[in-house]
Amino acid sequence: MGTPETSREPCPDRILDDAGGAFGMGVGGGGAYHFLKGLYNSPKGARLYGGAQALRMNAPRVGGSFAVWGGVFSTFDCTMVYLRQKEDPWNSILSGAATGGFLALRQGMGATARSAAMGGVLLALIEGAGIMLHTVLEKNQNQAIMMEDPAAGMTGLPGPEAEGSSSSSVGSWLGGWFGKGKEAEAAASSGSQTTILESFDAPPVPTYDYK
């Protein structure tokens, strides 16, 4: 199972992928929110029309804002990957802070600092939740493997080879006490057969010479 950092797209394609995903999230979530808001604020008899109009007017705007945030975040993320030459959660945290500050530059230094802090904290929470979820899923997967094959993780239990060797050793030990008579009988019978075969004389070959 890959980590949240290694399961993402490579850096050139990551920007378009994150921008498209953020646009879809913004359109879906923002559209649902503004549709319900339009239903609530519209007069009776025109609620459905008011909800659809609010959805049409606000969903593209929210989706565009999400797409800009996702694209800028991925750009900073790829920059951090290039500068630090590694993939870790710190890239996402620093990229979130840089994105929040960059998008609030027109509002002054105070707003820029606040947006950068909020972006860094938000991405730190997201990365922490992702790491915890990955750890829990990996732990559950290992427990499932242990339940399917409990003897795989227990080094003290003998395997099939060890059980076979122990049974053969027990059998040989018991055979040494109780199987000597049978072994002697088998040896005697095989020896008698061998003796008979060895003592059996072949008939003489007839000759047709005239005496």
Side-chain angles (χ1 to χ4, degrees):
M1 180 182 292
T3 61
E5 291 79 24
T6 58
S7 60
R8 300 177 63 187
E9 293 290 331
C11 247
D13 301 331
R14 184 181 301 180
I15 298 174
L16 295 178
D17 184 72
D18 287 351
F23 179 78
M25 290 175 58
V27 169
Y33 171 77
H34 286 286
F35 179 76
L36 295 176
K37 186 177 179 181
L39 285 178
Y40 180 77
N41 294 329
S42 297
K44 185 179 295 185
R47 294 186 183 276
L48 186 61
Y49 176 77
Q53 188 175 8
L55 170 65
R56 181 177 59 84
M57 294 178 61
N58 294 293
R61 176 179 57 82
V62 177
S65 300
F66 271 69
V68 170
W69 206 97
V72 175
F73 169 79
S74 297
T75 303
F76 279 113
D77 191 21
C78 289
T79 304
M80 292 296 174
V81 171
Y82 177 77
L83 293 177
R84 301 181 70 234
Q85 294 296 317
K86 60 181 177 179
E87 292 268 4
D88 58 1
W90 285 108
N91 290 338
S92 298
I93 296 173
L94 295 175
S95 300
T99 302
F102 178 78
L103 295 178
L105 279 175
R106 293 182 299 173
Q107 301 176 6
M109 295 303 297
T112 300
R114 288 192 297 271
S115 298
M118 290 181 60
V121 171
L122 178 62
L123 265 297
L125 293 176
I126 294 175
E127 289 295 325
I131 293 173
M132 290 178 60
L133 180 62
H134 178 264
T135 303
V136 170
L137 292 178
E138 187 176 4
K139 184 177 179 181
N140 292 337
Q141 185 178 5
N142 293 335
Q143 289 180 354
I145 294 175
M146 291 292 296
M147 290 177 64
E148 291 177 359
D149 190 7
M154 302 179 67
T155 57
L157 293 179
E161 298 179 358
E163 292 177 357
S165 61
S166 60
S167 60
S168 62
S169 62
V170 172
S172 61
W173 182 75
L174 293 176
W177 287 95
F178 301 103
K180 286 184 178 180
K182 295 182 179 180
E183 291 178 359
E185 292 177 1
S189 60
S190 62
S192 61
Q193 292 177 359
T194 305
T195 305
I196 292 172
L197 290 176
E198 289 178 354
S199 61
F200 181 75
D201 296 331
V205 179
T207 59
Y208 300 97
D209 295 339
Y210 177 75
K211 296 183 180 179

